């Protein structure tokens, strides 16, 4: 949503995310054998194939736990910002964002992730955009005519979350 008032352009909005990741991650459920050039029972095999034929297993891996998961992760994000045109060539920005991330959950409680809700994501932002309008001299050559260039500055606090970064990567 946006509101325009004289020199103010105010925006507000929300970002609601309801993630459902139903995933079959059948990794090594039947086991995984590795054969290579190895020494077994004091005999050195020259090739992995020779090691395989003679039953010389170098490593064995097997996955355990549930292989089908119904992961749920909800986010509720809200923001408001005001772009204030202080002068024809200067705009000031001020904004605020809040993000609430519910605790991740497996729908049938097959697994417990050990992460709680992330509730402290307060994110202020400030900035400015200035379009210099020098009438002569070196700075006019650098920046050009009024409106040809701009100088922008900003500061904000942003949050990243570890669990969401790896939520669908495992």
């Amino acid at each position: 949503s946006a509101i325009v008032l004289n020199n103010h352009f105010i925006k507000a909005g929300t970002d609601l995310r309801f993630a459902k990741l139903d995933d079959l991650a059948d990794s090594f459920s039947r086991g995984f054998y590795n054969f290579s050039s190895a020494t077994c029972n004091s005999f050195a095999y020259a090739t992995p194939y020779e090691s395989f034929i003679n039953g010389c297993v170098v490593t064995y891996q097997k996955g355990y736990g549930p292989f089908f998961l119904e992961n749920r992760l909800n986010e509720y994000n809200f923001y408001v910002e005001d772009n204030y045109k202080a002068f024809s060539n200067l705009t000031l920005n001020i904004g605020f964002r809040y993000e609430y991330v519910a605790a991740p959950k497996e729908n049938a409680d097959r697994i417990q992730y050990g992460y709680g809700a992330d509730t402290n994501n307060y994110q202020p932002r400030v900035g400015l955009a200035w379009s210099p309008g020098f009438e002569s001299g070196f700075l006019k050559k650098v920046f050009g005519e009024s409106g040809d260039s701009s100088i922008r500055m900003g500061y904000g606090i942003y949050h990243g979350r570890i669990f969401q970064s790896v939520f669908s990567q495992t």
Side-chain angles (χ1 to χ4, degrees), residues 13-19 73-78 97-98 100:
T14 185
D15 175 14
L16 305 175
R17 298 179 188 205
F18 305 100
L73 183 66
N74 298 330
E75 293 185 37
Y76 308 88
N77 308 315
F78 307 94
R97 181 178 179 92
Y98 175 72
Y100 172 83

Side-chain angles (χ1 to χ4, degrees), residues 86-102:
F87 301 102
S88 63
N89 65 343
L90 178 64
T91 302
L92 304 174
N93 316 97
I94 187 164
F96 182 78
R97 181 178 179 92
Y98 175 72
E99 298 182 355
Y100 172 83
V101 182

Side-chain angles (χ1 to χ4, degrees), residues 125-141:
R125 281 99 191 253
V126 294
L128 67 86
W130 175 55
S131 180
F134 296 102
E135 295 185 15
S136 63
F138 174 74
L139 291 177
K140 180 174 176 144
K141 290 181 182 180

Side-chain angles (χ1 to χ4, degrees), residues 7-168:
N7 295 347
H8 293 271
F9 181 67
I10 301 170
K11 295 189 292 185
T14 185
D15 175 14
L16 305 175
R17 298 179 188 205
F18 305 100
K20 294 181 179 181
L21 179 63
D22 297 345
D23 194 17
L24 177 61
D26 190 8
S27 185
F28 302 126
S29 65
R30 295 184 195 144
F32 180 81
Y33 295 88
N34 184 12
F35 302 92
S36 67
S37 304
T39 301
C40 288
N41 297 327
S42 301
F43 185 81
Y45 294 100
T47 66
Y49 180 72
E50 185 181 10
S51 179
F52 167 72
I53 292 298
N54 290 286
C56 177
V57 177
V58 175
T59 60
Y60 173 75
Q61 293 176 303
K62 180 167 177 33
Y64 294 96
F67 294 107
F68 178 72
L69 298 174
E70 298 171 282
N71 295 306
R72 302 295 181 259
L73 183 66
N74 298 330
E75 293 185 37
Y76 308 88
N77 308 315
F78 307 94
Y79 76 92
V80 62
E81 105 178 352
D82 182 13
N83 292 311
Y84 171 62
K85 195 158 189 78
F87 301 102
S88 63
N89 65 343
L90 178 64
T91 302
L92 304 174
N93 316 97
I94 187 164
F96 182 78
R97 181 178 179 92
Y98 175 72
E99 298 182 355
Y100 172 83
V101 182
K105 179 179 183 337
E106 201 287 322
N107 201 39
D109 290 325
R110 294 178 189 103
I111 191 171
Q112 298 296 320
Y113 288 110
Y115 287 88
D118 190 1
T119 62
N120 63 346
N121 297 315
Y122 302 99
Q123 304 172 2
R125 281 99 191 253
V126 294
L128 67 86
W130 175 55
S131 180
F134 296 102
E135 295 185 15
S136 63
F138 174 74
L139 291 177
K140 180 174 176 144
K141 290 181 182 180
V142 171
F143 292 105
E145 298 293 327
S146 180
D148 285 351
S149 61
S150 65
I151 296 173
R152 298 175 183 271
M153 291 183 255
Y155 173 81
I157 295 176
Y158 302 84
H159 292 92
R161 295 177 292 277
I162 293 174
F163 186 82
Q164 289 82 335
S165 299
V166 297
F167 184 60
S168 63

